[in-house]
Amino acid sequence: ELKVEQNPLFLSMQEGKNYTIYCNYSTTSDRLYWYRQDPGKSLESLFVLLSNGAVKQEGRLMASLDTKARLSTLHITAAVHDLSATYFCAAFLGSRLTFGEGTQLTVNP
Amino acid sequence: EAGVTQFPSHSVIEKGQTVTLRCDPISGHDNLYWYRRVMGKEIKFLLHFVKESKQDESGMPNNRFLAERTGGTYSTLKVQPAELEDSGVYFCASSQPSGLDTQYFGPGTRLTVL
């Protein structure tokens, strides 16, 4: 059974700082997704990572995938308040997504 | 293009009552998924439709849950009778016909069973 673990679950950081969210998954996965959720809103797809060594960047967020280590990271550069949200990683296998518990990120002025 | 929509956004019912949740996928998306997030836990897969057929319903917790997708358009998820542990947020998602594409999520229905 595929399991996904995310850490940290809660992250409070100051504006301008850098930080990384980690996502480990237990078995081979077809692809790895990162989603963002604002309170009361839909999960918004940020990145899909398809192969070993894949790196995707959008603004202050960069995601990477190491399939050998079964690890994906979401790196935040020079955080700003607008990035406050819950971030989920999800591994795709078969036709379903298996999610981590989510990282609740708060960026403080 | 309209996104995935869900109705209602919130539902509060008493234990033993019946509730029906509705999901309208993005137009043209043959694949429709239901997930739920119980308080403090991760989002978990419930089932997957391809058009009107149930492709995978292995995540359905028990036979109090019934999902339908008549005509291959919108879907309903009925909980009957509801129990306290059914409280949580129920998400619907849809994806393109290939099934390998990104799943687009609706805003969820928050269900509270008292």
Side-chain angles (χ1 to χ4, degrees):
Chain A
E1 180 187 349
L2 176 58
K3 292 188 185 298
V4 178
E5 288 187 357
Q6 239 177 285
N7 69 85
L9 300 184
F10 299 93
L11 177 55
S12 180
M13 53 191 300
Q14 283 188 311
E15 281 190 329
K17 298 292 187 182
N18 305 333
Y19 210 84
T20 300
I21 299 171
Y22 298 88
C23 175
N24 289 90
Y25 54 99
S26 61
T27 65
T28 302
S29 169
D30 293 332
R31 56 190 62 192
L32 196 290
Y33 290 87
W34 285 95
Y35 285 87
R36 166 183 172 147
Q37 186 187 28
D38 293 290
K41 305 287 188 181
S42 307
L43 278 75
E44 174 193 354
S45 176
L46 295 174
F47 302 107
V48 54
L49 302 166
L50 302 179
S51 58
N52 189 43
V55 177
K56 295 274 185 77
Q57 183 162 7
E58 180 74 35
R60 300 174 188 275
L61 301 178
M62 183 173 72
S64 66
L65 180 63
D66 180 343
T67 57
K68 293 179 182 178
R70 295 181 185 148
L71 171 69
S72 180
T73 60
L74 181 66
H75 187 72
I76 303 153
T77 301
V80 293
H81 180 69
D82 286 353
L83 291 180
S84 297
T86 299
Y87 293 84
F88 294 92
C89 66
F92 183 85
L93 185 62
S95 64
R96 67 172 69 180
L97 291 169
T98 300
F99 284 85
E101 289 186 61
T103 297
Q104 191 173 315
L105 171 65
T106 304
V107 181
N108 303 303
Chain B
E1 177 183 288
V4 177
T5 58
Q6 293 186 245
F7 183 83
S9 57
H10 294 84
S11 180
V12 181
I13 61 172
E14 292 191 350
K15 176 182 171 180
Q17 290 186 320
T18 298
V19 62
T20 300
L21 315 181
R22 174 171 169 144
C23 168
D24 286 78
I26 294 171
S27 177
H29 282 193
D30 288 347
N31 293 283
L32 187 149
Y33 309 82
W34 284 97
Y35 293 84
R36 78 172 177 178
R37 188 180 195 196
V38 173
M39 182 70 72
K41 301 288 188 181
E42 67 272 22
I43 299 170
K44 284 197 168 180
F45 169 85
L46 295 178
L47 88 160
H48 170 210
F49 283 100
V50 177
K51 297 185 180 179
E52 67 274 11
S53 299
K54 291 176 186 174
Q55 188 76 11
D56 181 357
E57 53 182 326
S58 61
M60 296 285 264
N62 53 61
N63 59 10
R64 296 185 292 104
F65 290 74
L66 176 63
E68 295 180 322
R69 193 183 182 195
T70 307
T73 54
Y74 71 91
S75 174
T76 58
L77 180 64
K78 182 192 289 188
V79 185
Q80 179 183 30
E83 298 288 345
L84 299 178
E85 64 264 25
D86 300 332
S87 295
V89 181
Y90 290 76
F91 293 100
C92 175
S94 70
S95 69
Q96 298 266 8
S98 75
L100 298 178
D101 292 287
T102 297
Q103 294 181 21
Y104 295 89
F105 281 76
T109 293
R110 181 174 294 278
L111 174 64
T112 302
V113 183
L114 302 176

